[in-house]
Amino acid sequence: MQRSALRFTLKKGVRYNSGGIGFIGLGNMGSNMAKHLIQKDKVVVFDTSAAAMKDLEAAGASCAASPNEVAKNCETLITMLPSGPVLEKVYFGDGGAIADLKSGSLLIDASTIGPVSAKDVAARLSDFRFCDAPVSGGVPAAAAGTLTFMVGAEDATFEAAKPFLSLMGKNVVHCGPVSAGQTVKVANNLLLASSMIAVAEAMLIGTKLGCDPKTLASVLNTSTGRCWSSDTYNPYPHAIEGEIPSSRGYTGGFACDLMKKDLGLAAEAGVAAGINLTAGSTALEMYKKMSEDGRGGDDFSGVLKYIDEKLRL
């Protein structure tokens, strides 16, 4: 597979040369992110799912047989993977990308792996330009190209990565050195999980005591309790307008098991920071129980249904 360098103009007029983009990890988030890159550049992809690869091939990508084949055909490699151990396997395992990375390659990891893991991986990739760039916004924002990227990198690496990230998101924030993006991300998801549980309980109290869910949500969303979990991603079915997981049986979106993983990373970060997490520990236990009940694949907003069905007095 040959990759020719392309020169193109971004939305804001920024121009740069690309030696081809590699993208590894084509789940609900990664597949949507990669499709925005395909509109502007030649992209070679890899995933363990043949169906995901076929979908991206239909969108215009070239498919590789392994991570190292991706590395052979790009100078910018983006990863969007479910955990730190999977990222390490992609880079350092059999057929891993590190064997064929070009000198000076730009490596952008958009996975959520936590600050401790990010530092470890970056140390092993010190001969390349590495940045951690976890995202916020979920699948809808990935599809719309409006993600927020929280980036940890040296200044020059951030400037090199920003044009690529801008193709997939509308907010690209330099949070500090390597691992800072992960720190901000786990802090965000700690807050998100806790707020989702609180909104679920509030919606259940109100509706069980006779309030119309749409009226209740409308009041919450114009009052001091307003938050993203209430006004954009409300866990009560059809309480707000929009195609969100609660309106389709808690399918798609951000899985309970992924939120459980992120809360574990937040707990790890809390230990590193010397903070005894209380709300975070409660949220982690809640999502652990939800997962153990066989709901690990449900969207994390399905915590409302779990509370309603399993935690009644």
Side-chain angles (χ1 to χ4, degrees), residues 8-61:
F8 57 88
T9 304
L10 299 177
K11 300 172 187 176
K12 297 181 180 179
V14 178
R15 297 176 68 86
Y16 69 97
N17 290 312
S18 167
I21 302 172
F23 202 108
I24 300 176
L26 305 174
N28 290 334
M29 294 292 293
S31 60
N32 283 293
M33 294 163 64
K35 287 174 182 176
H36 291 290
L37 299 172
I38 291 168
Q39 295 175 17
K40 291 291 186 178
D41 203 344
K42 290 187 176 181
V43 180
V44 56
V45 301
F46 174 76
D47 193 273
T48 55
S49 167
M53 294 252 280
K54 184 176 181 181
D55 178 55
L56 265 293
E57 186 174 35

mmCIF file of all heavy atoms in Angstrom, residues 8-61:
data_model
loop_
_atom_site.group_PDB
_atom_site.id
_atom_site.type_symbol
_atom_site.label_atom_id
_atom_site.label_comp_id
_atom_site.label_asym_id
_atom_site.label_seq_id
_atom_site.Cartn_x
_atom_site.Cartn_y
_atom_site.Cartn_z
ATOM 1 N N PHE A 8 -3.613 19.969 2.016
ATOM 2 C CA PHE A 8 -5.003 20.409 1.936
ATOM 3 C C PHE A 8 -5.268 21.514 2.939
ATOM 4 O O PHE A 8 -4.445 21.822 3.793
ATOM 5 C CB PHE A 8 -5.970 19.249 2.168
ATOM 6 C CG PHE A 8 -5.781 18.530 3.476
ATOM 7 C CD1 PHE A 8 -6.427 18.963 4.602
ATOM 8 C CD2 PHE A 8 -4.975 17.413 3.559
ATOM 9 C CE1 PHE A 8 -6.282 18.307 5.802
ATOM 10 C CE2 PHE A 8 -4.808 16.745 4.753
ATOM 11 C CZ PHE A 8 -5.463 17.195 5.880
ATOM 12 N N THR A 9 -6.416 22.135 2.820
ATOM 13 C CA THR A 9 -6.784 23.260 3.656
ATOM 14 C C THR A 9 -7.849 22.846 4.655
ATOM 15 O O THR A 9 -8.840 22.224 4.291
ATOM 16 C CB THR A 9 -7.329 24.424 2.796
ATOM 17 O OG1 THR A 9 -6.349 24.750 1.824
ATOM 18 C CG2 THR A 9 -7.636 25.641 3.653
ATOM 19 N N LEU A 10 -7.662 23.193 5.916
ATOM 20 C CA LEU A 10 -8.647 22.919 6.952
ATOM 21 C C LEU A 10 -9.709 24.008 6.970
ATOM 22 O O LEU A 10 -9.620 25.021 6.278
ATOM 23 C CB LEU A 10 -7.953 22.844 8.314
ATOM 24 C CG LEU A 10 -6.904 21.742 8.451
ATOM 25 C CD1 LEU A 10 -6.248 21.845 9.815
ATOM 26 C CD2 LEU A 10 -7.526 20.392 8.263
ATOM 27 N N LYS A 11 -10.712 23.816 7.840
ATOM 28 C CA LYS A 11 -11.819 24.760 7.929
ATOM 29 C C LYS A 11 -11.331 26.177 8.211
ATOM 30 O O LYS A 11 -11.857 27.144 7.702
ATOM 31 C CB LYS A 11 -12.769 24.325 9.044
ATOM 32 C CG LYS A 11 -13.378 22.945 8.848
ATOM 33 C CD LYS A 11 -14.139 22.527 10.089
ATOM 34 C CE LYS A 11 -14.609 21.091 9.991
ATOM 35 N NZ LYS A 11 -15.269 20.644 11.235
ATOM 36 N N LYS A 12 -10.286 26.294 9.060
ATOM 37 C CA LYS A 12 -9.830 27.608 9.477
ATOM 38 C C LYS A 12 -8.672 28.118 8.619
ATOM 39 O O LYS A 12 -8.000 29.062 8.972
ATOM 40 C CB LYS A 12 -9.411 27.554 10.953
ATOM 41 C CG LYS A 12 -10.575 27.218 11.885
ATOM 42 C CD LYS A 12 -10.128 27.194 13.332
ATOM 43 C CE LYS A 12 -11.277 26.850 14.264
ATOM 44 N NZ LYS A 12 -10.858 26.806 15.683
ATOM 45 N N GLY A 13 -8.412 27.457 7.514
ATOM 46 C CA GLY A 13 -7.380 27.919 6.620
ATOM 47 C C GLY A 13 -5.986 27.421 6.943
ATOM 48 O O GLY A 13 -5.026 27.808 6.293
ATOM 49 N N VAL A 14 -5.839 26.565 7.941
ATOM 50 C CA VAL A 14 -4.531 26.014 8.285
ATOM 51 C C VAL A 14 -4.130 24.995 7.226
ATOM 52 O O VAL A 14 -4.923 24.154 6.838
ATOM 53 C CB VAL A 14 -4.582 25.336 9.671
ATOM 54 C CG1 VAL A 14 -3.223 24.729 10.002
ATOM 55 C CG2 VAL A 14 -4.999 26.340 10.738
ATOM 56 N N ARG A 15 -2.885 25.077 6.773
ATOM 57 C CA ARG A 15 -2.426 24.141 5.758
ATOM 58 C C ARG A 15 -1.253 23.342 6.310
ATOM 59 O O ARG A 15 -0.425 23.852 7.048
ATOM 60 C CB ARG A 15 -1.996 24.874 4.481
ATOM 61 C CG ARG A 15 -3.136 25.614 3.816
ATOM 62 C CD ARG A 15 -2.641 26.388 2.612
ATOM 63 N NE ARG A 15 -2.222 25.522 1.531
ATOM 64 C CZ ARG A 15 -3.037 25.044 0.612
ATOM 65 N NH1 ARG A 15 -4.312 25.325 0.642
ATOM 66 N NH2 ARG A 15 -2.580 24.259 -0.346
ATOM 67 N N TYR A 16 -1.176 22.088 5.945
ATOM 68 C CA TYR A 16 -0.049 21.271 6.381
ATOM 69 C C TYR A 16 0.109 20.083 5.450
ATOM 70 O O TYR A 16 -0.776 19.743 4.672
ATOM 71 C CB TYR A 16 -0.246 20.781 7.819
ATOM 72 C CG TYR A 16 -1.357 19.774 8.000
ATOM 73 C CD1 TYR A 16 -1.086 18.416 8.023
ATOM 74 C CD2 TYR A 16 -2.677 20.187 8.137
ATOM 75 C CE1 TYR A 16 -2.104 17.492 8.191
ATOM 76 C CE2 TYR A 16 -3.686 19.267 8.306
ATOM 77 C CZ TYR A 16 -3.394 17.919 8.331
ATOM 78 O OH TYR A 16 -4.407 17.007 8.491
ATOM 79 N N ASN A 17 1.266 19.441 5.536
ATOM 80 C CA ASN A 17 1.541 18.260 4.733
ATOM 81 C C ASN A 17 1.304 17.016 5.563
ATOM 82 O O ASN A 17 1.711 16.937 6.717
ATOM 83 C CB ASN A 17 2.993 18.282 4.240
ATOM 84 C CG ASN A 17 3.213 19.351 3.193
ATOM 85 O OD1 ASN A 17 2.431 19.451 2.268
ATOM 86 N ND2 ASN A 17 4.256 20.141 3.365
ATOM 87 N N SER A 18 0.672 16.014 4.979
ATOM 88 C CA SER A 18 0.431 14.754 5.659
ATOM 89 C C SER A 18 1.064 13.631 4.879
ATOM 90 O O SER A 18 0.907 13.547 3.671
ATOM 91 C CB SER A 18 -1.075 14.501 5.791
ATOM 92 O OG SER A 18 -1.318 13.164 6.169
ATOM 93 N N GLY A 19 1.773 12.767 5.597
ATOM 94 C CA GLY A 19 2.335 11.595 4.957
ATOM 95 C C GLY A 19 1.396 10.418 5.040
ATOM 96 O O GLY A 19 1.818 9.269 4.942
ATOM 97 N N GLY A 20 0.131 10.691 5.207
ATOM 98 C CA GLY A 20 -0.873 9.664 5.373
ATOM 99 C C GLY A 20 -1.217 9.478 6.835
ATOM 100 O O GLY A 20 -0.372 9.624 7.723
ATOM 101 N N ILE A 21 -2.463 9.162 7.109
ATOM 102 C CA ILE A 21 -2.955 8.986 8.474
ATOM 103 C C ILE A 21 -3.294 7.524 8.710
ATOM 104 O O ILE A 21 -3.944 6.885 7.878
ATOM 105 C CB ILE A 21 -4.214 9.843 8.719
ATOM 106 C CG1 ILE A 21 -3.922 11.332 8.473
ATOM 107 C CG2 ILE A 21 -4.743 9.633 10.133
ATOM 108 C CD1 ILE A 21 -5.159 12.206 8.501
ATOM 109 N N GLY A 22 -2.871 7.007 9.821
ATOM 110 C CA GLY A 22 -3.273 5.685 10.261
ATOM 111 C C GLY A 22 -4.257 5.812 11.406
ATOM 112 O O GLY A 22 -4.140 6.725 12.228
ATOM 113 N N PHE A 23 -5.231 4.915 11.458
ATOM 114 C CA PHE A 23 -6.228 4.960 12.532
ATOM 115 C C PHE A 23 -6.485 3.531 13.007
ATOM 116 O O PHE A 23 -6.876 2.669 12.211
ATOM 117 C CB PHE A 23 -7.540 5.596 12.056
ATOM 118 C CG PHE A 23 -8.384 6.147 13.171
ATOM 119 C CD1 PHE A 23 -8.505 7.508 13.358
ATOM 120 C CD2 PHE A 23 -9.048 5.296 14.056
ATOM 121 C CE1 PHE A 23 -9.276 8.021 14.401
ATOM 122 C CE2 PHE A 23 -9.810 5.795 15.088
ATOM 123 C CZ PHE A 23 -9.934 7.163 15.258
ATOM 124 N N ILE A 24 -6.271 3.288 14.286
ATOM 125 C CA ILE A 24 -6.473 1.962 14.867
ATOM 126 C C ILE A 24 -7.498 2.055 15.984
ATOM 127 O O ILE A 24 -7.335 2.825 16.926
ATOM 128 C CB ILE A 24 -5.148 1.390 15.415
ATOM 129 C CG1 ILE A 24 -4.114 1.260 14.289
ATOM 130 C CG2 ILE A 24 -5.390 0.038 16.073
ATOM 131 C CD1 ILE A 24 -2.752 0.795 14.749
ATOM 132 N N GLY A 25 -8.574 1.255 15.839
ATOM 133 C CA GLY A 25 -9.652 1.255 16.820
ATOM 134 C C GLY A 25 -10.923 1.839 16.239
ATOM 135 O O GLY A 25 -11.111 3.058 16.257
ATOM 136 N N LEU A 26 -11.796 0.969 15.709
ATOM 137 C CA LEU A 26 -12.969 1.424 14.967
ATOM 138 C C LEU A 26 -14.265 1.034 15.657
ATOM 139 O O LEU A 26 -15.185 0.510 15.050
ATOM 140 C CB LEU A 26 -12.929 0.847 13.542
ATOM 141 C CG LEU A 26 -11.664 1.145 12.741
ATOM 142 C CD1 LEU A 26 -11.686 0.402 11.416
ATOM 143 C CD2 LEU A 26 -11.494 2.646 12.527
ATOM 144 N N GLY A 27 -14.339 1.332 16.951
ATOM 145 C CA GLY A 27 -15.575 1.115 17.684
ATOM 146 C C GLY A 27 -16.571 2.217 17.396
ATOM 147 O O GLY A 27 -16.467 2.934 16.387
ATOM 148 N N ASN A 28 -17.554 2.388 18.276
ATOM 149 C CA ASN A 28 -18.579 3.412 18.066
ATOM 150 C C ASN A 28 -17.970 4.804 17.893
ATOM 151 O O ASN A 28 -18.433 5.602 17.077
ATOM 152 C CB ASN A 28 -19.561 3.436 19.238
ATOM 153 C CG ASN A 28 -20.446 2.213 19.287
ATOM 154 O OD1 ASN A 28 -20.697 1.576 18.264
ATOM 155 N ND2 ASN A 28 -20.916 1.861 20.474
ATOM 156 N N MET A 29 -16.934 5.096 18.658
ATOM 157 C CA MET A 29 -16.285 6.403 18.569
ATOM 158 C C MET A 29 -15.303 6.459 17.405
ATOM 159 O O MET A 29 -15.374 7.348 16.551
ATOM 160 C CB MET A 29 -15.564 6.702 19.881
ATOM 161 C CG MET A 29 -16.471 6.873 21.078
ATOM 162 S SD MET A 29 -17.490 8.361 20.984
ATOM 163 C CE MET A 29 -16.235 9.625 21.131
ATOM 164 N N GLY A 30 -14.372 5.528 17.374
ATOM 165 C CA GLY A 30 -13.306 5.572 16.387
ATOM 166 C C GLY A 30 -13.777 5.543 14.950
ATOM 167 O O GLY A 30 -13.218 6.235 14.090
ATOM 168 N N SER A 31 -14.805 4.758 14.668
ATOM 169 C CA SER A 31 -15.285 4.672 13.287
ATOM 170 C C SER A 31 -15.806 6.018 12.806
ATOM 171 O O SER A 31 -15.543 6.428 11.662
ATOM 172 C CB SER A 31 -16.383 3.607 13.170
ATOM 173 O OG SER A 31 -17.482 3.912 14.007
ATOM 174 N N ASN A 32 -16.534 6.710 13.654
ATOM 175 C CA ASN A 32 -17.039 8.030 13.285
ATOM 176 C C ASN A 32 -15.918 9.055 13.147
ATOM 177 O O ASN A 32 -15.933 9.896 12.237
ATOM 178 C CB ASN A 32 -18.063 8.506 14.317
ATOM 179 C CG ASN A 32 -19.417 7.848 14.155
ATOM 180 O OD1 ASN A 32 -20.110 8.074 13.173
ATOM 181 N ND2 ASN A 32 -19.796 7.016 15.112
ATOM 182 N N MET A 33 -14.952 8.993 14.036
ATOM 183 C CA MET A 33 -13.822 9.916 13.968
ATOM 184 C C MET A 33 -13.025 9.721 12.688
ATOM 185 O O MET A 33 -12.664 10.682 12.000
ATOM 186 C CB MET A 33 -12.934 9.729 15.194
ATOM 187 C CG MET A 33 -13.606 10.135 16.501
ATOM 188 S SD MET A 33 -12.780 9.473 17.977
ATOM 189 C CE MET A 33 -11.192 10.294 17.883
ATOM 190 N N ALA A 34 -12.760 8.466 12.353
ATOM 191 C CA ALA A 34 -11.971 8.174 11.161
ATOM 192 C C ALA A 34 -12.661 8.661 9.882
ATOM 193 O O ALA A 34 -11.993 9.082 8.929
ATOM 194 C CB ALA A 34 -11.700 6.676 11.083
ATOM 195 N N LYS A 35 -13.977 8.603 9.859
ATOM 196 C CA LYS A 35 -14.700 9.027 8.656
ATOM 197 C C LYS A 35 -14.497 10.505 8.360
ATOM 198 O O LYS A 35 -14.501 10.913 7.189
ATOM 199 C CB LYS A 35 -16.182 8.689 8.799
ATOM 200 C CG LYS A 35 -16.464 7.197 8.670
ATOM 201 C CD LYS A 35 -17.918 6.848 8.956
ATOM 202 C CE LYS A 35 -18.133 5.337 8.863
ATOM 203 N NZ LYS A 35 -19.514 4.936 9.219
ATOM 204 N N HIS A 36 -14.299 11.320 9.385
ATOM 205 C CA HIS A 36 -14.019 12.739 9.139
ATOM 206 C C HIS A 36 -12.639 12.923 8.523
ATOM 207 O O HIS A 36 -12.437 13.800 7.671
ATOM 208 C CB HIS A 36 -14.136 13.529 10.442
ATOM 209 C CG HIS A 36 -15.533 13.640 10.967
ATOM 210 N ND1 HIS A 36 -16.498 14.398 10.339
ATOM 211 C CD2 HIS A 36 -16.135 13.059 12.034
ATOM 212 C CE1 HIS A 36 -17.644 14.289 11.014
ATOM 213 N NE2 HIS A 36 -17.442 13.485 12.036
ATOM 214 N N LEU A 37 -11.687 12.113 8.915
ATOM 215 C CA LEU A 37 -10.341 12.187 8.348
ATOM 216 C C LEU A 37 -10.338 11.761 6.889
ATOM 217 O O LEU A 37 -9.621 12.333 6.061
ATOM 218 C CB LEU A 37 -9.389 11.311 9.153
ATOM 219 C CG LEU A 37 -9.215 11.674 10.628
ATOM 220 C CD1 LEU A 37 -8.401 10.597 11.336
ATOM 221 C CD2 LEU A 37 -8.553 13.037 10.778
ATOM 222 N N ILE A 38 -11.137 10.744 6.565
ATOM 223 C CA ILE A 38 -11.202 10.226 5.201
ATOM 224 C C ILE A 38 -11.658 11.303 4.225
ATOM 225 O O ILE A 38 -11.258 11.309 3.058
ATOM 226 C CB ILE A 38 -12.154 9.002 5.146
ATOM 227 C CG1 ILE A 38 -11.521 7.811 5.889
ATOM 228 C CG2 ILE A 38 -12.476 8.613 3.715
ATOM 229 C CD1 ILE A 38 -12.493 6.679 6.144
ATOM 230 N N GLN A 39 -12.459 12.237 4.701
ATOM 231 C CA GLN A 39 -12.938 13.307 3.826
ATOM 232 C C GLN A 39 -11.815 14.245 3.384
ATOM 233 O O GLN A 39 -11.964 14.982 2.403
ATOM 234 C CB GLN A 39 -14.021 14.113 4.544
ATOM 235 C CG GLN A 39 -15.280 13.328 4.852
ATOM 236 C CD GLN A 39 -16.272 14.127 5.671
ATOM 237 O OE1 GLN A 39 -16.193 15.353 5.763
ATOM 238 N NE2 GLN A 39 -17.230 13.438 6.280
ATOM 239 N N LYS A 40 -10.681 14.221 4.108
ATOM 240 C CA LYS A 40 -9.608 15.172 3.827
ATOM 241 C C LYS A 40 -8.276 14.543 3.438
ATOM 242 O O LYS A 40 -7.399 15.219 2.910
ATOM 243 C CB LYS A 40 -9.373 16.057 5.071
ATOM 244 C CG LYS A 40 -10.498 17.019 5.383
ATOM 245 C CD LYS A 40 -10.597 18.112 4.336
ATOM 246 C CE LYS A 40 -11.635 19.154 4.722
ATOM 247 N NZ LYS A 40 -11.718 20.251 3.741
ATOM 248 N N ASP A 41 -8.085 13.265 3.726
ATOM 249 C CA ASP A 41 -6.770 12.675 3.512
ATOM 250 C C ASP A 41 -6.910 11.186 3.236
ATOM 251 O O ASP A 41 -7.988 10.610 3.403
ATOM 252 C CB ASP A 41 -5.907 12.882 4.762
ATOM 253 C CG ASP A 41 -4.412 12.832 4.469
ATOM 254 O OD1 ASP A 41 -4.032 12.342 3.388
ATOM 255 O OD2 ASP A 41 -3.637 13.290 5.324
ATOM 256 N N LYS A 42 -5.805 10.560 2.844
ATOM 257 C CA LYS A 42 -5.769 9.117 2.706
ATOM 258 C C LYS A 42 -5.568 8.499 4.078
ATOM 259 O O LYS A 42 -4.671 8.904 4.823
ATOM 260 C CB LYS A 42 -4.653 8.689 1.751
ATOM 261 C CG LYS A 42 -4.938 9.067 0.300
ATOM 262 C CD LYS A 42 -3.899 8.471 -0.638
ATOM 263 C CE LYS A 42 -4.264 8.770 -2.087
ATOM 264 N NZ LYS A 42 -3.292 8.179 -3.033
ATOM 265 N N VAL A 43 -6.404 7.534 4.420
ATOM 266 C CA VAL A 43 -6.393 6.942 5.751
ATOM 267 C C VAL A 43 -6.311 5.421 5.632
ATOM 268 O O VAL A 43 -7.035 4.811 4.837
ATOM 269 C CB VAL A 43 -7.668 7.324 6.541
ATOM 270 C CG1 VAL A 43 -7.643 6.698 7.933
ATOM 271 C CG2 VAL A 43 -7.793 8.847 6.651
ATOM 272 N N VAL A 44 -5.413 4.822 6.409
ATOM 273 C CA VAL A 44 -5.322 3.366 6.487
ATOM 274 C C VAL A 44 -5.736 2.961 7.889
ATOM 275 O O VAL A 44 -5.320 3.582 8.869
ATOM 276 C CB VAL A 44 -3.904 2.857 6.147
ATOM 277 C CG1 VAL A 44 -2.839 3.491 7.027
ATOM 278 C CG2 VAL A 44 -3.845 1.343 6.230
ATOM 279 N N VAL A 45 -6.599 1.951 8.003
ATOM 280 C CA VAL A 45 -7.210 1.618 9.283
ATOM 281 C C VAL A 45 -6.960 0.158 9.646
ATOM 282 O O VAL A 45 -6.677 -0.687 8.798
ATOM 283 C CB VAL A 45 -8.733 1.885 9.258
ATOM 284 C CG1 VAL A 45 -9.020 3.339 8.955
ATOM 285 C CG2 VAL A 45 -9.436 0.965 8.250
ATOM 286 N N PHE A 46 -7.093 -0.107 10.949
ATOM 287 C CA PHE A 46 -7.053 -1.481 11.439
ATOM 288 C C PHE A 46 -7.965 -1.612 12.644
ATOM 289 O O PHE A 46 -8.039 -0.734 13.505
ATOM 290 C CB PHE A 46 -5.642 -1.911 11.843
ATOM 291 C CG PHE A 46 -5.623 -3.282 12.480
ATOM 292 C CD1 PHE A 46 -5.753 -4.423 11.699
ATOM 293 C CD2 PHE A 46 -5.528 -3.418 13.860
ATOM 294 C CE1 PHE A 46 -5.776 -5.683 12.286
ATOM 295 C CE2 PHE A 46 -5.539 -4.673 14.450
ATOM 296 C CZ PHE A 46 -5.670 -5.815 13.666
ATOM 297 N N ASP A 47 -8.660 -2.756 12.702
ATOM 298 C CA ASP A 47 -9.463 -3.122 13.860
ATOM 299 C C ASP A 47 -9.589 -4.642 13.866
ATOM 300 O O ASP A 47 -9.455 -5.289 12.814
ATOM 301 C CB ASP A 47 -10.858 -2.472 13.795
ATOM 302 C CG ASP A 47 -11.605 -2.557 15.114
ATOM 303 O OD1 ASP A 47 -12.294 -3.573 15.361
ATOM 304 O OD2 ASP A 47 -11.497 -1.608 15.908
ATOM 305 N N THR A 48 -9.836 -5.213 15.025
ATOM 306 C CA THR A 48 -10.020 -6.662 15.086
ATOM 307 C C THR A 48 -11.379 -7.086 14.542
ATOM 308 O O THR A 48 -11.604 -8.268 14.292
ATOM 309 C CB THR A 48 -9.876 -7.161 16.529
ATOM 310 O OG1 THR A 48 -10.799 -6.445 17.368
ATOM 311 C CG2 THR A 48 -8.456 -6.948 17.042
ATOM 312 N N SER A 49 -12.277 -6.119 14.325
ATOM 313 C CA SER A 49 -13.596 -6.406 13.775
ATOM 314 C C SER A 49 -13.586 -6.272 12.251
ATOM 315 O O SER A 49 -13.366 -5.181 11.719
ATOM 316 C CB SER A 49 -14.646 -5.459 14.368
ATOM 317 O OG SER A 49 -15.855 -5.515 13.637
ATOM 318 N N ALA A 50 -13.836 -7.362 11.569
ATOM 319 C CA ALA A 50 -13.888 -7.330 10.111
ATOM 320 C C ALA A 50 -15.025 -6.441 9.624
ATOM 321 O O ALA A 50 -14.894 -5.748 8.610
ATOM 322 C CB ALA A 50 -14.044 -8.744 9.565
ATOM 323 N N ALA A 51 -16.144 -6.455 10.337
ATOM 324 C CA ALA A 51 -17.293 -5.639 9.943
ATOM 325 C C ALA A 51 -16.956 -4.152 10.023
ATOM 326 O O ALA A 51 -17.328 -3.364 9.144
ATOM 327 C CB ALA A 51 -18.492 -5.963 10.824
ATOM 328 N N ALA A 52 -16.244 -3.765 11.078
ATOM 329 C CA ALA A 52 -15.855 -2.361 11.226
ATOM 330 C C ALA A 52 -14.907 -1.949 10.115
ATOM 331 O O ALA A 52 -15.008 -0.846 9.553
ATOM 332 C CB ALA A 52 -15.214 -2.145 12.591
ATOM 333 N N MET A 53 -13.987 -2.825 9.749
ATOM 334 C CA MET A 53 -13.044 -2.525 8.671
ATOM 335 C C MET A 53 -13.783 -2.382 7.338
ATOM 336 O O MET A 53 -13.506 -1.481 6.542
ATOM 337 C CB MET A 53 -12.009 -3.637 8.586
ATOM 338 C CG MET A 53 -11.123 -3.716 9.816
ATOM 339 S SD MET A 53 -9.456 -3.158 9.514
ATOM 340 C CE MET A 53 -8.784 -4.625 8.738
ATOM 341 N N LYS A 54 -14.743 -3.255 7.109
ATOM 342 C CA LYS A 54 -15.507 -3.208 5.860
ATOM 343 C C LYS A 54 -16.271 -1.896 5.757
ATOM 344 O O LYS A 54 -16.358 -1.290 4.678
ATOM 345 C CB LYS A 54 -16.465 -4.393 5.796
ATOM 346 C CG LYS A 54 -17.238 -4.500 4.487
ATOM 347 C CD LYS A 54 -18.100 -5.761 4.459
ATOM 348 C CE LYS A 54 -18.861 -5.889 3.152
ATOM 349 N NZ LYS A 54 -19.715 -7.111 3.128
ATOM 350 N N ASP A 55 -16.830 -1.443 6.864
ATOM 351 C CA ASP A 55 -17.572 -0.180 6.889
ATOM 352 C C ASP A 55 -16.667 0.990 6.538
ATOM 353 O O ASP A 55 -17.039 1.858 5.746
ATOM 354 C CB ASP A 55 -18.195 0.011 8.274
ATOM 355 C CG ASP A 55 -18.950 1.321 8.387
ATOM 356 O OD1 ASP A 55 -19.845 1.568 7.559
ATOM 357 O OD2 ASP A 55 -18.653 2.110 9.314
ATOM 358 N N LEU A 56 -15.467 1.012 7.085
ATOM 359 C CA LEU A 56 -14.535 2.112 6.789
ATOM 360 C C LEU A 56 -13.993 2.014 5.368
ATOM 361 O O LEU A 56 -13.765 3.038 4.716
ATOM 362 C CB LEU A 56 -13.402 2.111 7.809
ATOM 363 C CG LEU A 56 -13.589 3.035 9.021
ATOM 364 C CD1 LEU A 56 -13.558 4.504 8.604
ATOM 365 C CD2 LEU A 56 -14.898 2.735 9.755
ATOM 366 N N GLU A 57 -13.820 0.795 4.887
ATOM 367 C CA GLU A 57 -13.373 0.630 3.504
ATOM 368 C C GLU A 57 -14.422 1.202 2.548
ATOM 369 O O GLU A 57 -14.089 1.872 1.560
ATOM 370 C CB GLU A 57 -13.118 -0.838 3.201
ATOM 371 C CG GLU A 57 -12.515 -1.082 1.827
ATOM 372 C CD GLU A 57 -12.151 -2.544 1.619
ATOM 373 O OE1 GLU A 57 -12.879 -3.417 2.141
ATOM 374 O OE2 GLU A 57 -11.154 -2.812 0.937
ATOM 375 N N ALA A 58 -15.687 0.965 2.858
ATOM 376 C CA ALA A 58 -16.763 1.508 2.027
ATOM 377 C C ALA A 58 -16.784 3.032 2.061
ATOM 378 O O ALA A 58 -17.210 3.680 1.100
ATOM 379 C CB ALA A 58 -18.108 0.956 2.500
ATOM 380 N N ALA A 59 -16.296 3.598 3.169
ATOM 381 C CA ALA A 59 -16.261 5.055 3.299
ATOM 382 C C ALA A 59 -15.040 5.672 2.629
ATOM 383 O O ALA A 59 -14.939 6.899 2.537
ATOM 384 C CB ALA A 59 -16.292 5.439 4.780
ATOM 385 N N GLY A 60 -14.099 4.829 2.201
ATOM 386 C CA GLY A 60 -12.957 5.339 1.471
ATOM 387 C C GLY A 60 -11.595 5.050 2.062
ATOM 388 O O GLY A 60 -10.575 5.468 1.511
ATOM 389 N N ALA A 61 -11.550 4.334 3.185
ATOM 390 C CA ALA A 61 -10.269 4.009 3.812
ATOM 391 C C ALA A 61 -9.636 2.788 3.169
ATOM 392 O O ALA A 61 -10.308 1.995 2.510
ATOM 393 C CB ALA A 61 -10.469 3.762 5.309
#
